[in-house]
Amino acid sequence: MKRYLSLTLAVAGMFSAGLAFTSATPDHSHERNAFTPDTIPWGPAPPVVRPGAQFAVLEGDPTASTGDFTIRLKMPDGFRIAPHFHPNRENVTIISGTFKVGMGDEFDTSKMTAFGAGSFAFLDPDMHHYAMARGETIVQVHGQAPLQFTYVNPNDDPSKSK
């Protein structure tokens, strides 16, 4: 009986030592490729959209000449993106809030469709569209780099403002 007790204590000791070693060296392999909502690296949106939105790159480099990317855009209530298009397909998932989207060259709120949290849409290259946030809205966009905006009316491009 003493022998089984000693063996049990020895195994338990090794198991405990293994746990201590494991917890002393945490696995950080997901620090750069997995996010919880509180760890998303928000910052100011690039100048291609007007000031007021926040932007986070979750994967890849949307400014690279090739490669996958995933970004999030957090917009305050009423935030607008003027009519524009992209040279590559745009895949959009609404994370929270309501994202209103319209098609065409003129911003017309009466022609917009509202997409709530959980919605998904894709826009093929060169589709002219515009958007607006109702309530604080977060959208996730993924696709192939480079992510480029071409505004239908060049005067709507905030990156070219005087």
Side-chain angles (χ1 to χ4, degrees):
M1 180 77 163
K2 262 180 142 178
R3 185 175 166 178
Y4 289 112
L5 180 60
S6 296
L7 183 58
T8 302
L9 289 174
V11 170
M14 289 189 310
F15 182 74
S16 296
L19 282 178
F21 180 74
T22 301
S23 62
T25 56
D27 181 348
H28 294 291
S29 62
H30 291 289
E31 283 186 355
R32 293 186 169 184
N33 65 353
F35 302 92
T36 56
D38 60 323
T39 64
I40 292 176
W42 293 108
V48 74
V49 295
R50 66 184 184 85
Q54 293 182 358
F55 184 79
V57 177
L58 302 180
E59 173 216 5
D61 179 357
T63 65
S65 59
T66 62
D68 297 331
F69 72 87
T70 304
I71 59 106
R72 285 198 181 172
L73 185 65
K74 184 190 300 186
M75 300 161 283
D77 183 38
F79 190 84
R80 292 179 175 217
I81 301 173
H84 65 282
F85 58 93
H86 310 279
N88 296 325
R89 181 175 165 163
E90 181 180 37
N91 303 287
V92 181
T93 303
I94 293 71
I95 303 297
S96 64
T98 301
F99 196 52
K100 297 180 79 175
V101 178
M103 305 305 287
D105 293 345
E106 299 289 327
F107 200 103
D108 184 346
T109 57
S110 71
K111 295 182 179 177
M112 299 178 91
T113 302
F115 297 92
S119 299
F120 171 81
F122 66 90
L123 297 128
D124 285 327
D126 302 319
M127 289 181 77
H128 293 201
H129 60 285
Y130 49 94
M132 184 171 87
R134 188 168 69 206
E136 182 180 79
T137 300
I138 299 174
V139 297
Q140 180 168 296
V141 178
H142 71 277
Q144 292 290 305
L147 173 61
Q148 297 173 330
F149 277 69
T150 302
Y151 283 92
V152 173
N153 178 349
N155 292 329
D156 288 335
D157 185 345
S159 69
K160 299 193 184 338
S161 63
K162 299 166 186 127

